């Protein structure tokens, strides 16, 4: 398994390079659509480690076809030159009736399946590669349909699932989606995300995927439970942090993940945390 | 009172404070919509904190009526978000108290947002305000180096360009040099 860190903006470039050269991370997950003004060969030269691609704003489920064709044409060049470990994107709602959402929404799994399946197939054809799609950090009870939706989508389209462990923890805390419900998805996943989460300002408290803090005990507990499935040849785990990026804290989290998922994992004290943490009931 | 159970049921309310008030206060749905609305709030006031000096400390006398107006006008809330916020301010109770330089700040914020969210081939955007005291271009550039960032710069002109079709205008720049003027386009909604 390769352990990685996400790279979204230039400010953390020195940190990413230092950690890669020091062996603190094995690859860099690049938010590739932030860097499309940099020629592919130049971007490829910039990283002293393998890269993976995370596409943030394709909005491939709802964007106009012509815009997606133009974006895919450019992304194919980066894929050909940089040969990423994987290409990933998001199953989420980015707008409503033409108005942009600044906090992305969850698709309606009960009704959206035919349209999503068709778009996933088309987007993979446009990009010329398998795409790994990230699960949403569910807030509302509709999130309970997510595991079966992603399992069916992967089976029907050949897409992968970029299984975000902490997003699944958010869904568990907010609407009680059990880890066991995700097991068929996890069993076929090769690429994983994990990040810190926060709480809503107002009560009743919601758990929000904030990417601004250290990993929570229950997330580490889930990781420990899943370590045999995550730590396998060809697999990756990316620690995501997008704000409050303090280098020592990032390094400490990567070391903690390395230890948790490596040979010493059985000794980890965080393994007991899940049993003591009940999800919220709505 | 109906209690939505799936996120998609809340889509109409995610950018409309008035619709949040139709949800039970102690529900997850209310807090979920609140979380969405706060994202718009931070997008406005974190980038333009001087707006908080115009009204109440939490900015709600600006935020709530602006968001209601934006919904009524069907604004897309794309990179033009700040320009339309300024246009709302100009016809609000705060119109006669807008600080000097606010229009330029809002143009810079919109230029930066374009450079952040646009996924087209263009490298830059140029904005102008026909009412500016001096002819000035506000230019937003996408990131052109892996260790760089988006940039916004102001360029003073000795001679004004042609006037835009409204108070504000924009055009897109194909590469990272500003050497042609294709003419102004209106600000999209």
């Amino acid at each position: 398994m390769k352990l990685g860190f996400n790279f979204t903006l230039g400010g953390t470039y020195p940190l990413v390079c230092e950690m890669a050269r020091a062996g603190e991370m094995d690859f860099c997950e690049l938010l590739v659509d932030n860097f499309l003004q940099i020629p592919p060969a130049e971007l490829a030269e910039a990283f002293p480690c393998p890269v993976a691609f995370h596409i943030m704003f394709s909005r491939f489920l709802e964007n106009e076809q012509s815009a997606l064709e133009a974006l895919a044409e450019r992304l194919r060049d980066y894929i050909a030159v940089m040969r990423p470990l994987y290409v990933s994107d998001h199953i989420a709602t980015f707008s409503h009736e033409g108005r942009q959402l600044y906090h992305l929404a969850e698709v309606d799994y009960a009704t959206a399946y035919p349209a999503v399946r068709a778009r996933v197939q088309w987007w993979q054809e446009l990009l010329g590669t398998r795409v790994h799609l990230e699960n949403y950090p569910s807030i509302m009870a509709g999130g309970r349909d997510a595991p079966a939706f992603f399992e069916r989508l992967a089976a029907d389209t050949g897409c992968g699932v970029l299984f975000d462990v902490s997003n699944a923890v958010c869904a568990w805390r907010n609407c009680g989606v059990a880890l066991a419900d995700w097991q068929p998805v996890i069993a076929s996943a090769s690429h994983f995300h994990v990040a810190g989460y926060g709480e809503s300002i107002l009560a009743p408290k919601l758990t929000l995927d904030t990417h601004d803090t250290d990993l929570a005990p229950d997330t580490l507990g889930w990781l420990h439970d899943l370590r045999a499935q995550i730590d396998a040849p060809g697999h990756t785990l990316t620690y995501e942090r997008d704000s409050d990026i303090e280098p020592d804290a990032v390094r400490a989290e990567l070391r903690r993940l390395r230890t948790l998922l490596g040979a010493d994992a059985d000794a980890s004290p965080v393994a007991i945390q899940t049993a003591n943490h009940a999800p919220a009931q709505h | 009172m109906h209690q939505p159970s799936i996120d998609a049921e809340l889509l109409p309310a995610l950018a409309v404070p008035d619709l949040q008030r139709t949800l039970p206060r102690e529900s997850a749905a209310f807090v979920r919509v609140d979380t969405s609305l706060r994202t718009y709030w931070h997008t406005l006031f974190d980038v333009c904190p001087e707006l908080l000096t115009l009204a109440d400390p939490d900015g709600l006398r600006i935020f709530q009526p602006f968001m209601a107006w934006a919904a009524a006008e069907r604004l897309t809330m794309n990179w033009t978000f700040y320009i339309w916020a300024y246009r709302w301010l100009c016809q609000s109770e705060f119109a006669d108290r807008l600080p000097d330089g606010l229009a330029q700040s809002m143009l810079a914020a919109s230029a930066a947002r374009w450079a952040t969210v646009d996924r087209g081939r263009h490298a830059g955007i140029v904005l102008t305000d026909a009412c500016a005291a001096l002819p000035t271009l506000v230019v937003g550039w996408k990131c052109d180096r892996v260790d760089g960032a988006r940039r916004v710069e102001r360029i003073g002109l000795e001679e004004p360009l042609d006037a835009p079709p409204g108070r504000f205008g924009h055009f897109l720049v194909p590469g990272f040099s500003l050497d042609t003027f294709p003419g102004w386009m209106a600000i999209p909604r």
Side-chain angles (χ1 to χ4, degrees), chain A residues 91 120 124 130-133 150 153-161 188:
Chain A
I91 296 290
V120 168
Q124 290 188 121
R130 186 184 193 204
V131 178
H132 297 258
L133 297 164
F150 277 90
L153 188 65
D156 287 354
T157 68
C159 76
V161 176
S188 59

Side-chain angles (χ1 to χ4, degrees), chain A residues 9 34 99-100 102 106, chain B residues 7 25 40 75-77 150:
Chain A
L9 289 172
N34 267 353
R99 309 190 71 221
Q100 290 187 10
Y102 289 5
E106 187 164 35
Chain B
D7 212 34
R25 168 59 192 89
Y40 293 96
L75 298 184
T76 61
M77 315 299 266
R150 296 102 177 178

Side-chain angles (χ1 to χ4, degrees), chain B residues 11-189:
Chain B
L11 286 172
L14 293 181
V16 184
D18 285 346
L19 294 180
Q20 182 192 25
R21 290 188 265 275
T22 67
L23 298 165
R25 168 59 192 89
E26 295 304 318
S27 66
F30 185 96
V31 181
R32 191 271 179 270
V33 171
D34 184 75
T35 301
S36 173
L37 291 169
R38 285 176 190 274
T39 313
Y40 293 96
W41 188 99
H42 284 290
T43 301
L44 183 60
F45 292 109
D46 288 359
V47 176
C48 304
E50 62 266 44
L51 295 180
L52 290 173
T53 65
L54 284 175
D56 44 336
D58 61 10
L60 292 181
R61 283 176 54 207
I62 290 175
F63 181 72
Q64 292 183 339
F66 165 64
M67 292 297 285
W69 178 78
E73 295 287 325
R74 313 284 319 147
L75 298 184
T76 61
M77 315 299 266
N78 64 8
W79 61 268
T80 63
F81 175 72
Y82 300 97
I83 294 175
W84 288 103
Y86 184 79
R87 296 196 69 112
W88 177 81
L89 285 166
C90 288
Q91 47 95 69
S92 73
E93 62 176 300
F94 308 103
D96 59 356
R97 288 188 278 141
L98 301 182
D100 293 341
L102 181 62
Q104 290 291 304
S105 296
M106 301 296 257
L107 283 184
S110 271
R113 187 155 185 87
W114 177 88
T116 301
V117 301
D118 183 79
R119 290 300 183 260
R121 286 187 177 276
H122 290 91
I125 189 168
V126 182
L127 300 169
T128 195
D129 175 8
C131 295
L134 297 171
T136 305
L137 305 179
V138 176
V139 189
W141 299 109
K142 293 178 183 174
C143 178
D144 63 346
R145 290 164 34 135
V146 70
D147 59 348
R150 296 102 177 178
R151 293 174 289 116
V152 175
E153 60 182 336
R154 287 191 177 86
I155 300 174
L157 302 176
E158 292 182 1
E159 298 290 333
L161 299 171
D162 294 341
R167 172 166 176 179
F168 301 106
H170 85 286
F171 65 87
L172 300 176
V173 187
F176 285 98
S177 62
L178 188 56
D179 48 20
T180 60
F181 173 54
W184 295 112
M185 295 189 291
I187 301 298
R189 298 179 68 77

Side-chain angles (χ1 to χ4, degrees), chain A residues 182-193:
Chain A
W182 287 106
Q183 196 47 238
V185 170
I186 295 166
S188 59
S190 303
H191 303 296
F192 300 86
H193 266 185

